[in-house]
Amino acid sequence: MDKLIVTAAITGAELNKKICPALPITPEEQAIAARDCIEAGAAIIHLHVRDEKGNPSQKLEDFQASVNAIKKSCKTNPIIQFSTGGAVGEKMENRIASLSLKPEMASFNLGTMNFGEEIFVNTFADMRALAAAFKKYNVIPEFEIYDAGHIDNLKKLIKEGLVTAPYHCQFVLGVPGAMAGDISGLVYLVEHLPQDSTWGVAGVGRFELPLAVHAILMGGNVRVGLEDNIYYEKGKLASSNAELVSRIVRIAKEVGRDIASPEEAKKLLNLP
Ligand code: KMH
Ligand code: ZN
């Protein structure tokens, strides 16, 4: 098996410090969180940013401030993956705009869905516009797949010639309104990926740990972090993002799966 690529989703757009006191919000807090995650074994930082009031932001200056702070704090250069998902309800033009900063990677959401009580909108027109921006700025997408039909949406974009191999797919499972985090669902998704795909799994809430453990054994990659899951175990909040990363790294090493450094992850994902 290839080495395991661990992604840390450190902040997200739907949480705040009242719900999760350990959530890094400012560039300085994100820099510390990212450094600790990288030192614990993460290769990719999935990045959402906030404005000065702590609200979700897609502004270029907020992305730039966080990137600068993270790069300064990390000894090894992590892969910084921007979110183009943003917060539910964010305008598509703002979500796309961050690509002009040319991050090494960014998320690419593959369909409209219920997201808790809200609706996360990603129409085909949105996806086509997003695909054009990824091409224009030469950014590598990570395809976010929340439901089985999203794989078919990816195949449609491939057929239309809008995205090209290799495809790095992230199964985000357990969002209320989309596919649950059952292992049978994960197996189904892996079996239906397009050729030339790598994959990872981000289990939401209580699904994070079991899905991660299965992905380690199945040859996939893993995303953990407070964006997806704020608990270390039932009833006990995680004290930091790095605590969640460290557990996954420990488990992977115990079962003989080595951990990819950021440089190794770049090679595995064909990043420039
Ligand atoms: N905040 C969610 C609605 C992404 O980063 O691309 C979307 C999200 C996905 O977090
Ligand atoms: Zn995200």
Side-chain angles (χ1 to χ4, degrees):
M1 279 183 198
D2 285 331
K3 288 189 177 181
L4 177 73
I5 302 171
V6 179
T7 297
I10 58 174
T11 301
E14 317 300 332
L15 292 174
N16 57 48
K17 278 190 189 280
K18 267 190 209 144
I19 298 169
C20 177
L23 194 72
I25 299 279
T26 65
E28 294 71 29
E29 288 170 348
Q30 288 187 316
I32 293 167
R35 180 201 64 199
D36 292 350
C37 287
I38 299 299
E39 282 176 11
I44 302 177
I45 302 297
H46 172 75
L47 187 67
H48 289 256
V49 296
R50 303 292 174 103
D51 64 17
E52 64 288 344
K53 289 188 182 141
N55 295 320
S57 166
Q58 289 295 123
K59 286 199 192 122
L60 300 192
E61 57 266 34
D62 291 325
F63 269 111
Q64 196 61 66
S66 291
V67 168
N68 292 349
I70 290 171
K71 288 210 164 147
K72 217 166 132 192
S73 74
C74 293
K75 279 188 225 124
T76 45
N77 231 355
I79 299 166
I80 301 182
Q81 179 194 83
F82 283 14
S83 168
T84 68
V88 171
E90 179 67 85
K91 279 192 195 139
M92 199 60 195
E93 62 190 86
N94 297 338
R95 291 167 51 188
I96 291 176
S98 62
L99 295 177
S100 67
L101 292 177
K102 301 191 179 184
E104 290 153 305
M105 265 189 124
S107 61
F108 188 130
N109 291 275
L110 279 173
T112 297
M113 55 190 272
N114 291 312
F115 202 95
E117 297 300 317
E118 300 179 285
I119 298 179
F120 183 33
V121 178
N122 297 284
T123 66
F124 279 115
D126 292 337
M127 291 186 256
R128 291 189 187 104
L130 199 54
F134 270 93
K135 262 201 184 142
K136 178 175 172 189
Y137 296 112
N138 204 17
V139 179
I140 304 292
E142 177 187 271
F143 295 101
E144 311 298 313
I145 292 165
Y146 304 79
D147 224 324
H150 293 175
I151 292 190
D152 301 300
N153 295 352
L154 172 58
K155 288 177 180 170
K156 182 177 164 74
L157 297 178
I158 295 169
K159 209 167 171 191
E160 291 181 11
L162 300 176
V163 296
T164 47
Y167 313 106
H168 181 54
C169 298
Q170 186 75 268
F171 304 124
V172 185
L173 302 182
V175 173
M179 220 162 144
D182 300 329
I183 306 310
S184 58
L186 175 64
V187 172
Y188 174 92
L189 293 170
V190 172
E191 283 174 351
H192 287 80
L193 280 171
Q195 272 188 350
D196 291 325
S197 295
T198 54
W199 64 273
V201 68
V204 173
R206 67 190 168 84
F207 294 115
E208 184 174 83
L209 186 58
L211 284 171
V213 172
H214 279 78
I216 291 168
L217 297 171
M218 289 164 70
N221 300 295
V222 169
R223 180 174 109 178
V224 293
L226 297 173
E227 170 172 348
D228 302 329
N229 167 42
I230 62 175
Y231 291 99
Y232 188 78
E233 59 193 27
K234 194 171 181 191
K236 186 180 161 213
L237 287 170
S239 62
S240 67
N241 281 287
E243 189 182 27
L244 297 169
V245 171
S246 298
R247 172 167 59 183
I248 290 307
V249 168
R250 252 187 344 260
I251 293 169
K253 286 183 176 164
E254 282 288 330
V255 296
R257 187 100 190 261
D258 289 335
I259 307 298
S261 68
E263 276 313 310
E264 289 167 335
K266 278 177 200 168
K267 289 203 185 96
L268 289 168
L269 297 173
N270 287 291
L271 298 190

